Amino acid sequence: MPDLDPVIHAQARLRIVAALATLDAKDQITFPRLQEVLDMTAGNLSTHLRKLEDADYVIVEKTHRGRTPVTYIALTTKGRRAFEDYTAQLRGLLGGTT
């Protein structure tokens, strides 16, 4: 039985990666929008994003729109691949095709 990626396997991080995987490869989402989509607190989302960022699964870009700070989040190529591998392993465990 294959080991599931422990970085993605945590429920909150799985939800984050799954949400980001719905975006096109070069697209980003703002932190408040992702927080709204996932119905997570800012602190909880930040904590899980840090773990994903440390694994190089997401990129967090802090910038400004005019004078207002804005944070963008995107799935990296490595993160997208990790999510694809994770879902393929789940399908295999559940008796589907890999």
Side-chain angles (χ1 to χ4, degrees):
M1 179 182 321
D3 289 333
L4 294 172
D5 185 333
V7 175
I8 294 177
H9 193 63
Q11 180 187 12
R13 291 191 295 271
L14 177 57
R15 291 177 60 224
I16 292 167
V17 174
L20 294 173
T22 65
L23 301 173
D24 288 334
K26 299 294 181 188
D27 285 347
Q28 307 173 317
I29 190 169
T30 64
F31 183 94
R33 179 65 182 135
L34 184 60
Q35 182 184 357
E36 179 184 346
V37 166
L38 298 173
D39 192 28
M40 295 175 75
T41 66
N44 195 22
L45 181 56
S46 292
T47 299
H48 289 291
L49 283 173
R50 174 67 60 170
K51 294 254 186 206
L52 292 166
E53 189 177 22
D54 289 346
D56 196 30
Y57 287 0
V58 300
I59 187 162
V60 177
E61 179 185 351
K62 296 180 184 229
T63 187
H64 287 82
R65 188 181 304 147
R67 292 185 176 198
T68 306
V70 62
T71 302
Y72 292 102
I73 295 105
L75 201 56
T76 63
T77 302
K78 180 179 178 181
R80 190 170 297 276
R81 182 67 199 165
F83 181 66
E84 290 168 358
D85 291 346
Y86 180 89
T87 55
Q89 288 177 329
L90 276 181
R91 277 191 228 94
L93 287 171
L94 298 173
T97 58
T98 56

